[in-house]
Amino acid sequence: MAEPAATSTQESMENPPRTDKQAIESDEPLKKKLRTGSEKKREEDDLEQRLSGILCCAVCLDLPEVTVFQCTNGHLMCAGCFTHLLADARLKDEQPTCPNCRCEISKNLCSRNLAVEKAVSELPAPCAFCPRKLPRHALDHHQRRECVERPTHCPYERIGCQWAGPFHELADHEGVCTFPEQPGKEVLESILAMDEKSEDKMKIYQNIVKLLSMEKTTFTDLQLRPYRTDDFITKLYYETSRFNALNQQWVVKARVNDDERNPSHVLERHLTFQLILKSRLTTPLEVQFIVLSGPFTTTKLTPKIFRVEFNNDNTESPHSTLPLVDSAECNKLLSGKTINLRLILAQVQK
């Protein structure tokens, strides 16, 4: 019985296993090395990092969230940085250029890169609340609807419950929450507090309805064009051509950051505007007006009504801040060739 073992040992010594070099010389396929789970994970992470470095924005060096623009040479810019570059160039009275190759950029010259947008949307990103990684296009839905660690509030928050915690603890809290059993008096106090907040919002819309219901009301679409002052250090301002409303001639002027010396050096930007009367008055004229986003624009404005009384000694309204929702909306306006707004102007009857 010992002879077969001795024979196999002798054969293995006579025919040792072939090396990779010998296999290549004999045209035989190489044996694949099995990769461990840690090696696969390391390779995937390296690929993600390399792709992130290739597809990142040339300005902020972050992966774009939604829209990706490219210059004529293919360098990528996220939508926020692209509009910021155009706005900075407008403030400095310069030609906007790509930060990489310095070629000219504009809304007409640059185009969206849909392939990069789709590639970025498939790259994994970590959830803000749990250890999971998901494709970027699915991350928002996961964080809002599916993640068990997402922060949430008690359903009875509207009547005063201050509990807040991860979603997986909500069911346990609901079982011990005392607010559903509160007496009607305490619940009524919470409802009255909510009514006060909603009344403030309703007043705004009621005032808008009153404005639209006035006897003499005009609607004018304005186009503010950029100009420069004659100072040694020129400053940017916007102005409309004369327009007719309420049988009077008017002009609207706007400036950036209250005529700050270098608004291009700050991140937070806003626009202030004036309504200027160009006609001579025989009697004082009191008006109410509201500024809205113009047609075919996506500018986000908070509704606000202004009231001014004009006479021959007071032909200009005070500088009022254009009620944009944030500084990014201001950059969007500055990045365009003109600013398009709609003015609703009504005469207050005495």
Side-chain angles (χ1 to χ4, degrees):
M1 295 297 293
E3 291 181 359
T7 305
S8 62
T9 305
Q10 185 177 0
E11 289 178 356
S12 63
M13 293 178 63
E14 292 176 357
N15 301 315
R18 292 192 175 191
T19 62
D20 292 346
K21 184 176 180 181
Q22 291 172 339
I24 293 173
E25 291 175 353
S26 63
D27 295 332
E28 291 183 6
L30 294 175
K31 292 184 177 180
K32 294 184 178 180
K33 296 180 180 179
L34 296 177
R35 294 182 299 172
T36 63
S38 60
E39 289 177 345
K40 290 181 180 179
K41 181 70 167 56
R42 195 181 307 113
E43 290 180 4
E44 290 176 358
D45 291 343
D46 291 342
L47 178 61
E48 291 173 18
Q49 291 179 1
R50 292 198 300 271
L51 287 175
S52 298
I54 295 171
L55 303 177
C56 69
C57 170
V59 182
C60 64
L61 303 182
D62 288 332
L63 284 174
E65 292 185 0
V66 185
T67 308
V68 181
F69 291 95
Q70 65 176 15
C71 72
T72 52
N73 292 326
H75 296 121
L76 305 175
M77 292 164 281
C78 64
C81 291
F82 178 63
T83 55
H84 205 285
L85 288 173
L86 298 181
D88 281 351
R90 174 70 69 191
L91 292 170
K92 297 176 182 178
D93 196 20
E94 297 175 354
Q95 177 62 48
T97 57
C98 171
N100 275 13
C101 61
R102 299 301 173 188
C103 72
E104 182 180 341
I105 61 173
S106 68
K107 290 185 176 181
N108 293 329
L109 293 175
C110 295
S111 59
R112 288 179 63 181
N113 192 319
L114 299 180
V116 171
E117 291 178 13
K118 292 180 180 178
V120 170
S121 70
E122 294 295 335
L123 287 177
C127 174
F129 312 118
C130 71
R132 289 189 61 186
K133 276 190 172 183
L134 297 98
R136 292 173 180 267
H137 66 82
L139 186 62
D140 181 64
H141 177 75
H142 167 77
Q143 292 181 160
R144 287 188 297 108
R145 301 290 183 184
E146 298 176 349
C147 181
V148 295
E149 296 290 342
R150 68 184 186 272
T152 187
H153 294 271
C154 177
Y156 302 102
E157 178 190 13
R158 293 173 63 83
I159 59 173
C161 183
Q162 300 297 318
W163 182 88
F167 179 77
H168 65 84
E169 296 180 4
L170 178 59
D172 295 336
H173 166 75
E174 289 180 344
V176 297
C177 183
T178 59
F179 277 84
E181 301 173 0
Q182 277 191 339
K185 183 178 180 181
E186 295 182 8
V187 174
L188 180 61
E189 291 177 356
S190 301
I191 294 176
L192 292 175
M194 289 188 294
D195 287 344
E196 289 181 2
K197 295 180 181 179
S198 60
E199 283 178 4
D200 294 337
K201 294 181 180 179
M202 285 300 299
K203 284 180 181 178
I204 297 175
Y205 295 105
Q206 288 172 358
N207 290 333
I208 293 175
V209 172
K210 289 180 181 178
L211 176 67
L212 298 174
S213 302
M214 289 184 179
E215 181 182 356
K216 295 182 179 180
T217 304
T218 61
F219 298 77
T220 307
D221 290 331
L222 305 177
Q223 189 175 76
L224 288 85
R225 298 183 178 278
Y227 297 95
R228 292 275 164 179
T229 61
D230 296 330
D231 303 333
F232 178 73
I233 301 177
T234 61
K235 296 178 181 178
L236 173 69
Y237 71 96
Y238 287 82
E239 186 175 343
T240 66
S241 56
R242 290 196 179 194
F243 61 93
N244 185 56
L246 303 178
N247 297 323
Q248 308 293 337
Q249 293 290 315
W250 307 85
V251 165
V252 172
K253 287 186 178 181
R255 60 189 187 184
V256 185
N257 283 20
D258 294 319
D259 215 13
E260 187 178 7
R261 183 174 181 180
N262 287 313
S264 60
H265 293 175
V266 295
L267 292 176
E268 294 296 325
R269 294 168 182 164
H270 61 272
L271 286 169
T272 55
F273 70 98
Q274 270 186 308
L275 179 63
I276 302 172
L277 177 65
K278 291 296 184 179
S279 304
R280 296 287 297 177
L281 294 174
T282 55
T283 58
L285 176 64
E286 187 174 3
V287 299
Q288 286 186 350
F289 60 92
I290 183 172
V291 179
L292 306 173
S293 57
F296 310 110
T297 61
T298 57
T299 307
K300 297 177 182 177
L301 287 165
T302 304
K304 184 178 180 180
I305 294 178
F306 303 90
R307 185 166 184 156
V308 184
E309 183 174 346
F310 292 94
N311 53 51
N312 289 329
D313 296 327
N314 180 32
T315 59
E316 299 181 356
S317 70
H319 282 90
S320 303
T321 302
L322 191 67
L324 299 167
V325 295
D326 54 29
S327 181
E329 292 298 317
C330 184
N331 283 331
K332 287 181 182 179
L333 292 178
L334 295 175
S335 65
K337 293 182 178 180
T338 59
I339 296 177
N340 297 311
L341 299 172
R342 173 167 289 176
L343 176 69
I344 302 177
L345 183 65
Q347 182 177 347
V348 178
Q349 299 293 336
K350 295 183 178 181

